[in-house]
């Protein structure tokens, strides 16, 4: 069984390049899908307080029988916990539901900059990392301006998880991340159902490689150093999505996929939206 290669984070932890997203699975579905995914070779599992499935994710992890230390478990917390004590309480609630005593990567789910506590929320995670309770510090949906405020306060997150796919390649955000050694993690890497997988250009590349369009899109992410976390509860697709480390896209193919960026695709605005 082939596992995904990993990328080393600033913290030293190693993050698999391909993992399982778990939204919108409920507890029962998450338990089933997570155990199947781990048996298929997934080692990175991504959940969140807001998904309300951490209990099921934990159950799936235990069912798989794979040792805890071989897995990379990520969760996120909501805006009501954006304080040093709040982050600690969020961590305790998540780990209790997951049935784990540490998480590999804890992320602030949305910056909610209107609250003015998006820096403090990251400081809360950094404190937990000092105590060995989390292995890496993460943000999600932070724009470069939000990250700059975090960096000015003396912390560089290990990972920023953002909405990213070929129609939304987020070039400026990735350049900012790269400048600071922050790994980019793509949520909804296959796009929000906007025809990406039916695009004739993507289909032609897939046919040329004897792969599926989803494999081409996921390969586009990981070949450029982004971590992708597609959700699927379909056993064939779970295997298919992980099976992207034995072929390579050419430079011309990677470049042609950028033509899908018309600049018009909607991106959830984290200055306006959050929870
Ligand atoms: P399914 O679970 O039925 O496979 P997200 O944007 O949250 O990552 O969700 C990805 C969506 O794309 C899900 O609806 C999932 O549906 C679907 N999907 C996942 N993998 C594939 C694939 N290989 N081919 C086509 N659709 C996929």
């Amino acid at each position: 069984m082939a596992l995904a290669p990993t990328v080393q984070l600033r913290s030293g932890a190693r993050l698999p390049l391909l993992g399982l997203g778990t939204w919108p699975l409920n507890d029962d579905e998450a338990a089933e899908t997570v155990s199947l995914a781990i048996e298929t070779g997934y080692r990175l599992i991504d959940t969140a307080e807001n998904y309300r499935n951490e209990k099921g994710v934990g159950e799936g992890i235990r069912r798989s029988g794979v040792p805890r230390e071989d897995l990379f478990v990520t969760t996120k917390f909501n805006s009501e916990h954006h304080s040093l004590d709040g982050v600690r309480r969020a961590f305790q609630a998540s780990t209790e539901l997951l049935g784990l005593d540490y998480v590999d990567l804890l992320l602030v789910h949305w910056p909610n900059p209107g609250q003015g506590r998006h820096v403090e929320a990251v400081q809360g995670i950094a404190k937990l990392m000092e105590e060995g309770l989390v292995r890496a510090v993460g943000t999600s949906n932070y724009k470069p301006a939000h990250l700059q405020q975090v960096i000015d306060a003396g912390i560089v997150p290990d990972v920023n998880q953002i909405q990213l796919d070929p129609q939304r390649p987020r070039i400026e955000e990735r350049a900012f991340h790269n400048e600071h050694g922050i790994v980019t993690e793509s949520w909804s890497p296959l796009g929000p159902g906007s025809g990406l997988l039916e695009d004739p250009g993507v289909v032609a590349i897939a046919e040329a490689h004897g792969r599926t369009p989803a494999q081409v899109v996921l390969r586009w992410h990981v070949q450029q150093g982004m971590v992708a976390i597609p959700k699927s509860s379909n056993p064939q697709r779970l295997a298919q999505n992980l099976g992207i480390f034995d072929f390579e896209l050419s430079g011309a193919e990677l470049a042609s996929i950028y033509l899908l960026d018309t600049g018009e695709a909607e991106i959830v605005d984290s200055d306006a939206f959050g929870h």
Side-chain angles (χ1 to χ4, degrees):
M1 183 176 61
L3 305 181
T6 57
V7 57
Q8 182 159 346
L9 304 177
R10 295 174 53 89
S11 76
R14 299 201 69 98
L15 173 66
L17 283 172
L18 198 286
L20 176 74
T22 63
W23 187 84
L25 304 175
N26 65 26
D27 277 325
D28 288 344
E29 294 164 338
E32 194 168 322
T33 300
V34 166
S35 64
L36 177 61
I38 296 173
E39 284 157 23
T40 306
Y42 285 72
R43 292 295 176 265
L44 163 61
I45 309 293
D46 182 276
T47 180
E49 171 191 14
N50 209 57
Y51 302 168
R52 306 195 190 289
N53 63 14
E54 289 170 304
K55 197 161 187 276
V57 168
E59 172 62 28
I61 288 171
R62 281 184 296 283
R63 252 187 233 172
S64 76
V66 169
R68 166 69 184 96
E69 61 274 18
D70 292 347
L71 300 173
F72 195 105
V73 182
T74 300
T75 192
K76 327 181 185 79
F77 56 82
N78 285 341
S79 59
E80 67 196 86
H81 307 296
H82 288 197
S83 64
L84 296 184
D85 286 347
V87 174
R88 186 173 297 274
R89 282 193 297 274
F91 167 82
Q92 283 162 349
S94 285
T95 46
E96 191 165 316
L97 285 166
L98 286 162
L100 300 176
D101 49 17
Y102 70 94
V103 295
D104 295 276
L105 171 67
L106 184 60
L107 305 110
V108 188
H109 205 149
W110 291 90
N112 293 279
Q115 278 192 162
R117 298 207 304 262
H118 48 293
V119 173
E120 199 177 334
V122 182
Q123 287 167 329
I125 304 175
K127 187 84 183 58
L128 295 177
M129 189 163 91
E130 281 170 25
E131 296 170 31
L133 297 171
V134 308
R135 296 180 62 234
V137 175
T139 52
S140 189
N141 303 300
Y142 275 46
K143 296 184 181 182
H146 308 139
L147 287 172
Q148 188 61 57
Q149 292 170 313
V150 174
I151 292 167
D152 290 345
I155 300 173
V156 183
D158 291 288
V159 174
N160 189 33
Q161 182 184 120
I162 57 174
Q163 184 181 20
L164 198 163
D165 64 70
Q167 293 168 328
R168 301 162 183 73
R170 313 298 299 270
I171 306 287
E172 282 167 32
E173 289 86 345
R174 280 158 57 197
F176 185 89
H177 297 168
N178 291 344
E179 191 184 320
H180 295 281
I182 299 168
V183 168
T184 302
E185 191 174 35
S186 310
W187 65 259
S188 271
L190 300 174
S194 45
L196 185 56
L197 303 183
E198 289 83 44
D199 174 79
V202 173
V203 169
I205 296 171
E207 282 171 0
H209 288 271
R211 302 284 169 154
T212 68
Q215 287 180 309
V216 167
V217 171
L218 293 172
R219 180 72 203 176
W220 177 88
H221 289 268
V222 302
Q223 198 171 314
Q224 300 177 93
M226 280 102 77
V227 174
I229 46 167
K231 172 262 170 189
S232 181
S233 25
N234 171 306
Q236 282 79 33
R237 288 174 180 166
L238 273 179
Q240 183 191 118
N241 293 350
L242 188 60
I244 56 166
F245 297 102
D246 55 353
F247 78 106
E248 206 167 323
L249 298 172
S250 69
E253 287 168 336
L254 283 177
S256 76
I257 294 172
Y258 279 94
L259 297 175
L260 290 166
D261 174 22
T262 60
E264 279 165 18
E266 238 174 83
I267 297 170
V268 182
D269 180 359
S270 63
D271 277 318
F273 177 84
H275 50 66

